[in-house]
Amino acid sequence: MPDPANGEAVESTKRRRLLGLLGGGAAVSLAGCSDQEPSDGSDGNDTDGEDGSDGMDGEDGEDGEDGGDSGPTYADQAQAAWERAVENPLPEDEDLRQEAYVEMEEAVRDDAVLTPLYHGFTELFWYDYVDVPLTGALGKHWQQLNTTTVEGDDTLNLINSTFDELDPIMSTDTASSIVITQIYENLTEFPNGVPEVENQLLEEYEVSEDGTTWTFTLKEDIQFHGGGTVTAQDVKYSWRRTVESANSERATFTLNQPTGLGIDVEMDDEGDPEPDSLAVEVIDDQTLEIQLVGPNPDVLSIIAYSSFAVIPEGYVDDIEGYDGEVSHDEFSTDVANGTGPFELDEFNVDEDVSVVRNDDYWGETASVEAVNWEIIEDDQAAWTYSLEQNADRFEMPTFAYEADAIDAEEDDRGRQVGTYGPAGDLEEEVNYLGVSEISTFYFGFNASNTERAARQAVAYVMNKEQIVQEVFAGRGTPAYSFLPPAIWPTGQDGYESFLEDYPYGLGESDSQGAQTVLEEAGFTSDSPTEMTLTTYESEVFQTAAELIRDLLSGTGLDLSLETSQFSTLQSRGEDGELQMYSLGWIWSWPAVPYGMFQLEPLNTNTSVMPEETNGFYLDWHTNLEEEAE
Amino acid sequence: MSRWEYFVKRLLLTVPVLFLVLSFLFVMLRMGPIDPVAAILGPQATGGDAQAIRERLGLDEPLWQQYVDFITSFLTFDFGQSWVVQAGRPIIEIVVGAAPATLWLGFWAILLPLFIGIPLGFYAGLNPNSLGDYTASFGGILWQALPNFWLSVLALATLRQTRNGGGPFGFDWYAFGPDFLSRDISITGTPDFDWFSTMDLLFFPVPYVSDWTALAIDVKLILPPALILGSASMAAELRIGRTAMLETVNANFVETARAKGLTSRVIVWKHIFRNALIPLLPVITSEAFLLIGGSVIVEQIFNINGLGRIFFQSVTQGDLPMAGALLFIFTLIILFLNILQDFLYTIIDPRVGYDQ
């Protein structure tokens, strides 16, 4: 699809969204975690707004340092900021929300309950005979390959990781979405993974004044691979599956706010959704209407996520009222029926997947006849496969990587674009792309099990640039905030000023600062405090952990290390047993609240996790004034 | 006690072993540290989704109920569905799909050492303390000391550099035998068994080779990993073969045979060779055990979709039923091999029995 047209479409949709929402001032129920009770009235918009403009960001933090007794704690600040953000979801409050999110970041930073380490950085390499559009910060799994050309060949060959399902509502990994994106389509999309939403099957939409009723009009005459036109009924059926099917692993993306759309639904006594009660109404063949539990500024971004992909009505047998043309087992791996530029050819789980061109595609018909992915997990095997030119575009394992061989310049989206090589085994020059991704890997601290001084000492000694350099050979972006710079609420300038205020030292290890903060809290090398750092099996975190431990020796903090399996770490975190731990968060769509909700202090309460809360394992709510009593 | 009574007793002893293994598996998998729900959902787990999955997997049932279900279903080979690795697919289907590659790899990994290790060992035993003996013995020890994962990485790095005649003396592994380059085949990957067909002969399916080129490709594909996988057992066979040969050569009956005036050819092949095989038998059968363990690494590095790689995935990703089923199958194989070994012993060596 030509870019200018799409650019205009985005502009006009944005404008329409603004117009549609203007003037709406309805009461908003507290979003966030659905089970939580609102802690105060829902009509506090105006007063909260004033709070926001006071901008008592960093200064307040200084007071809080003296202890929770005098004035609001950092956790109080974060909680207040979060509530202000979710209670003002209308477009005119955009600035207020952005400030609130930055204020949360500052509270997190000053209390050091979470110390970010790095943002993911992906590098792609492709041979000269391939012409493929550059991918964006959301990752290559958003890219439809119909505009990719291969000189002298009619097949595009790639490498993928293992996955086991092609059902969009089961897909939780990037490996499966790489293939699903070629076969199925959504109402909206992020073309090539660039974080700017555009229409896909959507023609236009309208929003009610209160921002809770959205009317979508579909493009006309779009055909499924198996025949039949896409209608509003198909969309309704597909979205019903996301909540009613037992196979769905993404029901929350449909039902929750702000971690999803928040479509209204009726629950039965057991807490399962009633069949056909999802508030999606078909107006006519091209039009449907959804009813949300509250206004949601991120609707268009969320429906681009692969679980909202459209399949023909009644295709699968896993929700009530449909016998299904195919069984769910077949639908998982054997058959597919979408509207995308490619049709499923063959899927040998753990071996290879191939898709063939859809000649009747409504958009630009693919230039290659087929795309084939060899499924390889091992670095050695993948590198061999790439060198053999069996893979046309590939990633490079660190053992083969030579940073000096890159010759790249930054483009207007902050991506590194250029060439690589020849270097090492690779005997020719290849194309190069380096993109900083919307993901954050961090150390979290359980606030009730750790001293603030100890947490800050860790932040002081941690030299993120050195760690990224040592472990990834520089293939990562050192992180100083939880929110990645690409989606920083107040833009690039706001991020820069956040960095300027960063108290723990940028790109250096400040042992003196660590020692001072520990001494003030009464810990010296003679009477140290102790803390355990639990990492999952990841080279980065293990190396970082060792570095931090060594740097802390001789200060008033004894750090001991342990490694645990990923799933074990999660369940121990939910039980509130961890002190300091490592984890990561990858954004499924580029929205600030989808990420920040985990830092809302009340949502970090591990004693009711995972039933009632779904935040990080911080127990930050224990620092709230009202909770402390 | 006759040797057949001994054999039956050994057979019966496997029943409690099997139960112990099953109970151990249950405790380890169901009560161990791995939470499958967390494993399935990954870092973006939320409460509601987690509970739904917990119910779907039956983890809310009482523990004894889960135990009874577990034992009965495993004994009837009803392993249920995979949770994580290939979520929702029947495990037996996955195992049947991955087994051929492992069997193919295992077949060559046993065959190659047999035909290299044992002759070398016997040669060394017949010519003790010669230069040939030292070379073979030293080489064997060195070969055994090299770890499989290291050999695999090294072999792959060496072989992929021979592309377009880049190897020593212009050697090109890609062009050697069936040409891989022109067919766009990687030197890593899973054999596809295109050469294997069956035809009905008197209503019985009889396998035959339908495509000799495809067979050659699959053999070439499996040769490097098979050699590496068999490396440890090849060296073991060499050394035990040498010792067995030495002992038998110096035995009294060999001296008697020599005194009778038998030719040395008859003495070696009829008397020494057969007796030297007895200590080799457990080495060969226990190789299968080594192969199961070793194939995990070799299959991973050579990207072969076999049982070893699936086992590796299921253990690291917390796929409890899958890992349990594979462990159970491995146990069955090892029990079966032990029985086979006892059976062969009772046939080869009449002295075997409980009393004596």
Side-chain angles (χ1 to χ4, degrees), chain A residues 7-75:
Chain A
E8 267 177 45
V10 172
E11 279 306 303
S12 63
T13 51
K14 273 183 186 157
R15 219 172 300 128
R16 210 174 315 142
R17 182 163 71 190
L18 278 167
L19 290 173
L21 287 175
L22 265 176
V28 176
S29 66
L30 180 75
C33 195
S34 54
D35 296 317
Q36 240 158 33
E37 283 177 28
S39 48
D40 58 3
S42 47
D43 245 344
N45 290 5
D46 295 339
T47 47
D48 275 343
E50 276 156 32
D51 274 354
S53 51
D54 280 350
M56 40 165 153
D57 320 347
E59 288 86 330
D60 253 12
E62 305 298 326
D63 304 339
E65 217 165 82
D66 302 324
D69 307 327
S70 59
T73 61
Y74 295 116

Side-chain angles (χ1 to χ4, degrees), chain B residues 111-124:
Chain B
L111 200 71
L112 290 174
L114 273 186
F115 283 92
I116 301 174
I118 294 184
L120 270 182
F122 281 4
Y123 168 80

Side-chain angles (χ1 to χ4, degrees), chain A residues 494-574:
Chain A
Y495 183 70
E496 302 275 316
S497 71
F498 181 84
L499 283 190
E500 276 167 25
D501 292 341
Y502 192 74
Y504 307 116
L506 285 173
E508 57 166 14
S509 176
D510 185 0
S511 299
Q512 200 54 48
Q515 205 142 3
T516 314
V517 73
L518 285 166
E519 262 167 30
E520 278 169 12
F523 302 114
T524 59
S525 51
D526 297 327
S527 61
T529 178
E530 286 173 3
M531 189 158 73
T532 304
L533 164 54
T534 313
T535 48
Y536 63 89
E537 290 148 328
S538 134
E539 198 197 344
V540 198
F541 280 122
Q542 283 164 341
T543 311
E546 282 161 21
L547 267 173
I548 294 166
R549 180 192 57 195
D550 296 348
L551 286 167
L552 281 170
S553 70
T555 67
L557 173 60
D558 268 354
L559 192 67
S560 46
L561 308 182
E562 64 177 12
T563 306
S564 116
Q565 222 176 15
F566 186 71
S567 50
T568 318
L569 187 139
Q570 282 188 314
S571 52
R572 287 181 56 197
E574 283 176 4

